[in-house]
Amino acid sequence: MAGVLRTNHVDEFGVRQPDGTTHIIFPDLPTNYRVRSELTVPIYTGGRVDALVQAAEADGRAAAADVDTTDADVRLVVSQAYWRLVTARRRVDVLQRALDRADAVVRDAQSRIDAGVAPPNEVLSAQAQRARQNVQLIQARHDAAIAEVTLDRLLGLPADQAIEPTTSVDVPIEGAAALVDVDARTLVSRALEHRPERRALVERAGALRAGAEAAAAAVRPTVAGVAAVEPARPNSRFVPRTNQWQTSWDLGVNVTWPLWDGGRSRAEQAAAAAQAQAVDESVREFDAAVSIEVRERLLDVTAARAALAAAGEAVAAAAEARRVVQERLRAGVATSTDVLDADVAWLEAELEQTQLTAALRLDEARLIRSVGDRR
C-alpha cells in the first residue's frame, strides 16, 4: 500500500547546542509519504483455510458436472431432432410411394371405364383416395421442413442450410443393443456412477459440509506470520525525524482468538449443515428416480422392438394382400374399391412401421442418456 498524509503544522522541537545552534529533534513536516509492502502467512487457522479450499474444489467439480449434464442434454435433444427429421423424410418416401400406387390405380380404373367393364364412379373413388394421400404427402413434407429447420437451429447452422442424414432410421444407435442385454440392476448401478447430475449433487453436499467446518473454525485461534518493509518520508521509527526517505522493516507473529461472536459462527455452521442434509435427500431422491427411469427405458426399448417386429409382419401381410387383390381385379373378381382398401391398409402399415422404428431410435437414445453413457 502507498499513501500521502497531510497534517497540521507544529512547533519544531530542538535542543540548544553549546555552540549556540539548535539541534532539531522533532521538525515541522506536515507532508508525510508512506509505502508499505506486507506479507502475511497463515501458520495455524484451526482448519478454516483447508475447509474453504475443500469447499471451493468441490464447487469446481460440481460446476464441471453441470457442464457434463448440459452436454448430455444437448446430445439427447440433437439426437431427438435428428431422428424426427429422418422419420419425417421416411414418411415422405412412404407417402410418395403410396401416391404413385394411387396414380396407377387411377389409370387402371380409367382404362377399365374406357373398356366399358367398370362404372364411372370407380375412377372418382380412386381420384378421391389419391387426393387424400396427396394431402398427407404435403403435410409430411411440411413436417420434414420444420424438422430440418429445428435441427439447423440446434446445430447452429443457417436456417436455410440443407441437411442430408447419413444414418438411416433402420440402423440401431451404437451401444444401445448392448445395454438392452444387460441386467437392470447393473444398468442402475452404472447410471448412479456415471450420471453427472448425481455427481454434481454429491460434490455440492461435500462443499456445504466443508463450508460448515470452515464456519465452525471461525471461533478457533489463528496464528499468522507477518513480514513487512516500509519506506517512508519521514519515517517515525528514526529519531530525529528528517524529510528524507528511510526504510524500516518488521517481522512478527500475530495470534487472534475470537472468544465471542454472538453465535454467528454456530448459525452459519448449522445453516450449511442443514443445506448439506437437504442435498443428501435430493441425492437419495435422484437415486430412486434413476432406478425407475432406467427400468422404464429398458421396458420402452423392449416393447418398441416387439411392436416393430409385429409391424414388419403387418407390412408384409398388407403388401401380399394388395398383390392378391390386384390379381383378383385383373381376373375380374374384385373391384377397384377393394384395391383402394388394400392400398390404404398397406399405407397405414408402412406409416406405423416408420413411426415405431423412429420411436425405437428415440427410446434407445433416452436409454443411453439414462445410463449416463457418453455416446
Side-chain angles (χ1 to χ4, degrees):
M1 61 181 178
V4 178
L5 178 65
R6 182 71 177 179
T7 63
N8 61 286
H9 289 277
V10 298
D11 295 333
E12 293 184 338
F13 175 76
V15 177
R16 178 73 64 178
Q17 299 296 311
D19 58 1
T21 62
T22 302
H23 180 66
I24 302 299
I25 297 177
F26 194 91
D28 180 21
L29 299 175
T31 304
N32 297 260
Y33 303 93
R34 181 190 182 198
V35 178
R36 182 176 177 84
S37 177
E38 182 176 300
L39 175 65
T40 302
V41 179
I43 299 174
Y44 172 76
T45 61
R48 179 178 176 82
V49 172
D50 292 338
L52 291 175
V53 170
Q54 292 175 7
E57 291 176 344
D59 282 334
R61 291 191 295 269
D66 289 338
V67 173
D68 293 339
T69 300
T70 302
D71 290 344
D73 291 339
V74 168
R75 283 195 297 270
L76 178 59
V77 171
V78 172
S79 297
Q80 291 174 337
Y82 178 86
W83 291 121
R84 289 193 184 98
L85 174 61
V86 173
T87 303
R89 296 272 181 86
R90 179 71 171 271
R91 190 167 183 267
V92 169
D93 294 340
V94 171
L95 290 172
Q96 183 62 56
R97 293 197 302 269
L99 188 63
D100 294 339
R101 292 197 301 266
D103 289 336
V105 172
V106 170
R107 289 193 299 269
D108 186 66
Q110 186 64 49
S111 299
R112 289 168 58 83
I113 292 173
D114 294 340
V117 295
N121 65 296
E122 284 195 6
V123 70
L124 295 176
S125 298
Q127 289 174 347
Q129 179 62 28
R130 181 194 180 280
R132 287 193 291 270
Q133 293 181 3
N134 191 30
V135 170
Q136 295 183 36
L137 178 59
I138 293 172
Q139 183 62 44
R141 287 172 176 167
H142 171 266
D143 294 340
I146 295 298
E148 187 175 33
V149 171
T150 301
L151 187 56
D152 281 333
R153 180 184 65 82
L154 291 174
L155 297 178
L157 301 175
D160 56 350
Q161 176 70 47
I163 296 178
E164 187 63 32
T166 58
T167 304
S168 172
V169 73
D170 298 323
V171 178
I173 297 179
E174 181 183 359
L179 293 178
V180 176
D181 297 333
V182 179
D183 180 69
R185 291 185 178 180
T186 303
L187 288 181
V188 171
S189 299
R190 186 185 302 181
L192 296 179
E193 180 181 356
H194 293 162
R195 286 287 289 268
E197 302 98 313
R198 187 181 192 277
R199 190 165 64 251
L201 289 173
V202 172
E203 293 295 347
R204 285 198 168 86
L208 289 169
R209 289 192 182 88
E213 178 62 25
V219 296
R220 299 170 189 165
T222 60
V223 181
V226 180
V229 177
E230 183 175 343
R233 193 184 74 179
N235 194 323
S236 59
R237 297 190 181 183
F238 292 87
V239 179
R241 300 175 69 203
T242 59
N243 194 23
Q244 296 178 353
W245 284 100
Q246 293 176 304
T247 301
S248 60
W249 59 269
D250 54 80
L251 183 66
V253 176
N254 294 332
V255 179
T256 305
W257 191 347
L259 297 178
W260 185 74
D261 64 352
R264 177 178 178 179
S265 60
R266 288 195 301 272
E268 292 178 350
Q269 179 186 7
Q275 291 174 355
Q277 185 177 0
V279 175
D280 289 338
E281 295 297 331
S282 299
V283 171
R284 282 189 282 271
E285 178 65 22
F286 179 83
D287 292 348
V290 165
S291 177
I292 297 175
E293 179 183 351
V294 170
R295 287 176 169 83
E296 286 181 348
R297 296 295 174 259
L298 279 175
L299 292 174
D300 290 342
V301 173
T302 303
R305 284 183 172 184
L308 184 59
E313 296 175 358
V315 170
E320 179 63 18
R322 200 267 185 188
R323 186 191 65 79
V324 172
V325 172
Q326 188 70 27
E327 294 293 334
R328 288 170 55 84
L329 177 66
R330 292 171 183 169
V333 295
T335 65
S336 59
T337 302
D338 297 330
V339 176
L340 291 176
D341 292 340
D343 275 338
V344 171
W346 191 7
L347 172 62
E348 291 178 348
E350 286 186 320
L351 290 178
E352 184 179 19
Q353 183 185 40
T354 299
Q355 294 172 354
L356 290 174
T357 304
L360 177 57
R361 300 289 88 81
L362 292 175
D363 289 336
E364 290 173 347
R366 294 190 183 102
L367 176 60
I368 292 174
R369 174 67 179 91
S370 298
V371 175
D373 284 1
R374 298 176 62 87
R375 300 183 186 276

